[in-house]
Amino acid sequence: MKGLRRQYTDVLRDRALRGDVASLLQHGLRWIGTALGPRRGRPLAGPALGTLLVTYRCDLRCRVCDLPARAAARRRAGDKELDTDALRAVLRDMKAIGTAGVGFTGGEPMLRDDIFELLSYASRLGLHAHLNTDGLRVAERAEDLLATGVRSINVSLDGPTAEVHDEARNRRGSFDTVVEALGALREARGARRTPHLTAVTVLTSHNVHKAGDVVRTAVAAGADRVGVIPVHDFGQGEAAPDADHIVAALADLERLHAEGLVDNSTGYLDLLPRAFRGEPSPLYCYAPYASVVVDCYGDVYPCFPLMERKEPAGRLPLAPLWRSPEYAAVREQLASCTACLWNCHAELNLVLPQGRLAPRVRASTAVESVS
């Protein structure tokens, strides 16, 4: 293992500074339970990461994302997003199954009028509340966001200049808005430690050669650091970046990591060339035990890539589904999956047993990776 993702060390450090020994012990027991779950064929602990996709709607039309089109299709089909009470019930179920934290994402979660209420509710339940946003509605509501008790915020930034970022996000002016959002959040936070502010960059053939510049721009704007994720092709026909650009970007990111400015672990950074070459992950994937994803229409997924592929494990309510035979069958089917290097899942995999210590996949359950 080559270090921890800095968002994970933030959680542990925050609890240590508060003297929350019980919570630290609980995290240790969760690690043991997650490591042993695949060997027992059932979850022995709640997921470390819950994701609540509160809307597919978005005010951007990014080249690598089809969620706004899916939102439009669901509306045409007569489907409605879960209301506030239903999403509160999901959060209670996440708490009930032992989820450590929940990331609110989309689409753009700030498009929901009740996002502040939902973040506050998650915080009151004792969940580590996290927000992913494109930044376009953040600056004017920065104080309100912090009042919810949100512990960490990711803001998307895909280029060091307006030219690069706005082209990726397909909206002129979005770069300036992100810079403004990061500055407003940093100002609203003041001398407090939280929320931790991370800019997140999807690396593609269009921006990978500027990865280091993105980090410098984001930190100058107010971010604590930057996390990167290689683009995953879910049918949009992504071109592979130039190999020399990948090597140069990785070297720059590793230098910036040593300065504390990159969120990813060095172990994850080492996997970036493999991801861009389209090679399978070398990691045993614990995602069906370590994470759960619930979308705004009531579908439940074991990981984010399966949400992208529209392959749910079942539907709400979450608590009974989590330990159901149906979910167990999905976990068994995914036991050999090496399809992705999605950052939130791969980073968790890197801190769990790998190699000879990883669970053995029975030949009878081995399936082709989800691709």
Side-chain angles (χ1 to χ4, degrees):
M1 180 178 70
K2 293 186 177 182
L4 283 172
R5 183 183 185 184
R6 288 195 161 99
Q7 289 198 27
Y8 301 160
T9 59
D10 286 342
V11 173
L12 299 176
R13 184 183 300 110
D14 289 347
R15 281 157 174 72
L17 290 172
R18 296 203 307 267
D20 191 350
V21 176
S23 179
L24 291 171
L25 178 60
Q26 189 176 50
H27 281 300
L29 293 174
R30 177 178 286 104
W31 185 93
I32 295 171
T34 304
L36 294 178
R39 293 170 169 81
R40 299 292 186 269
R42 58 187 177 88
L44 302 179
L49 174 63
T51 299
L52 186 54
L53 199 152
V54 295
T55 184
Y56 285 4
R57 292 174 289 134
C58 190
D59 36 19
L60 299 178
R61 295 297 181 268
C62 303
R63 183 173 47 80
V64 299
C65 178
D66 73 339
L67 291 183
R70 287 164 65 173
R74 297 296 290 258
R75 287 195 299 272
R76 289 194 297 270
D79 296 333
K80 295 183 179 180
E81 295 178 357
L82 299 176
D83 63 17
T84 305
D85 287 342
L87 290 177
R88 281 171 171 257
V90 174
L91 292 169
R92 289 194 296 273
D93 270 7
M94 285 191 175
K95 178 69 173 181
I97 66 174
T99 309
V102 55
F104 291 80
T105 191
E108 174 46 52
M110 294 285 285
L111 287 174
R112 285 196 64 120
D113 294 335
D114 58 0
I115 187 60
F116 300 98
E117 181 178 352
L118 293 170
L119 285 165
S120 297
Y121 190 66
S123 298
R124 292 198 299 273
L125 288 173
L127 295 166
H128 178 105
H130 169 84
L131 176 68
N132 291 302
T133 176
D134 60 25
L136 290 181
R137 283 173 166 74
V138 169
E140 63 270 25
R141 303 296 302 273
E143 292 282 358
D144 295 330
L145 266 178
L146 268 62
T148 67
V150 63
R151 304 295 296 178
S152 54
I153 299 174
N154 285 358
V155 183
S156 297
L157 180 64
D158 283 344
T161 64
E163 179 183 7
V164 179
H165 176 85
D166 291 359
E167 189 276 334
R169 295 285 164 173
N170 203 22
R171 176 165 174 160
R172 183 176 296 178
S174 61
F175 173 83
D176 293 335
T177 307
V178 170
V179 170
E180 183 182 2
L182 287 169
L185 289 168
R186 189 63 176 257
E187 182 178 358
R189 187 179 71 179
R192 288 174 287 181
R193 295 193 310 272
T194 59
H196 300 285
L197 306 177
T198 304
V200 176
T201 302
V202 178
L203 296 178
T204 70
S205 59
H206 299 272
N207 68 358
V208 67
H209 58 297
K210 298 180 181 293
D213 292 335
V214 175
V215 176
R216 298 178 187 94
T217 298
V219 172
D224 297 315
R225 62 284 173 107
V226 173
V228 301
I229 177 173
V231 66
H232 285 64
D233 192 343
F234 293 104
Q236 68 267 28
E238 281 298 312
D242 181 271
D244 290 339
H245 287 166
I246 297 170
V247 172
L250 184 57
D252 206 4
L253 289 172
E254 288 175 341
R255 285 191 293 270
L256 291 164
H257 185 279
E259 298 177 28
L261 303 181
V262 174
D263 178 45
N264 310 88
S265 67
T266 54
Y268 185 76
L269 293 178
D270 288 346
L271 294 172
L272 291 181
R274 175 187 290 267
F276 283 123
R277 290 193 299 265
E279 297 175 3
S281 169
L283 305 174
Y284 178 88
C285 187
Y286 292 85
Y289 296 86
S291 70
V292 66
V293 180
V294 179
D295 80 359
C296 55
Y297 299 106
D299 287 324
V300 180
Y301 303 85
C303 63
F304 213 85
L306 283 177
M307 185 283 299
E308 294 280 5
R309 290 180 54 81
K310 310 173 192 175
E311 297 178 9
R315 289 185 56 79
L316 297 176
L318 173 61
L321 178 64
W322 176 252
R323 298 185 184 278
S324 69
E326 292 80 10
Y327 213 122
V330 172
R331 291 190 182 98
E332 187 174 4
Q333 182 184 23
L334 292 172
S336 64
C337 185
T338 59
C340 85
L341 284 165
W342 203 269
N343 58 345
C344 52
H345 302 310
E347 290 279 19
L348 282 172
N349 293 336
L350 283 165
V351 301
L352 288 158
Q354 294 294 333
R356 288 179 295 177
L357 298 178
R360 293 184 178 180
V361 179
R362 298 192 304 274
S364 60
T365 66
V367 296
E368 291 186 7
S369 298
V370 179
S371 59

